[in-house]
Amino acid sequence: TDGRDAQLRRFATATAFADDLVTVNAANIACRAGRLRVNGLKSSGARRVAPGDRLTLARPPERRTDLPTDVDAAARWVGKRQRLAAALRDDARHAPALRILFEDD
């Protein structure tokens, strides 16, 4: 793809940002979020790119959860996560494994 007749989503995943946007869907999501821009403007993934267009990709904000500063709120926050972890470890709370009802030879 040399950019003369390429859609933004395909060009971005194939060449420009291949390490950051590994799928066309990731490029579409970046376009909708306004992180993948053409000439500084929010663009659709279907937009055609041309030689001379300037593509920019903004990194998504880092997801980090801060522990509440209030002692009681922090204790509740930790308690919720501990209960979640316990529930995920408990096999009795999960649905049984699916059985194969029909298998085509």
Side-chain angles (χ1 to χ4, degrees):
T1 303
D2 60 4
R4 279 181 274 187
D5 192 33
Q7 291 181 327
L8 173 59
R9 62 181 166 230
R10 299 224 180 266
F11 185 77
T13 57
T15 58
F17 303 107
D19 292 337
D20 297 305
L21 301 171
V22 294
T23 64
V24 171
N25 189 42
N28 279 330
I29 291 170
C31 287
R32 283 193 300 271
R35 293 188 310 105
L36 180 57
R37 294 177 173 259
V38 179
N39 300 323
L41 302 173
K42 185 175 177 180
S43 300
S44 164
R47 183 191 193 283
R48 298 284 179 183
V49 293
D53 283 341
R54 193 172 126 235
L55 306 180
T56 54
L57 177 66
R59 300 265 184 234
E62 186 176 324
R63 294 186 66 195
R64 187 172 288 234
T65 304
D66 293 327
L67 190 63
T69 55
D70 176 50
V71 175
D72 293 331
R76 286 191 304 273
W77 186 89
V78 169
K80 287 179 186 177
R81 269 115 193 117
Q82 287 174 333
R83 286 190 299 279
L84 174 62
L88 293 173
R89 281 192 307 268
D90 186 3
D91 290 335
R93 297 182 90 168
H94 298 293
L98 294 175
R99 295 181 325 175
I100 297 175
L101 300 177
F102 176 79
E103 189 172 323
D104 192 11
D105 293 328

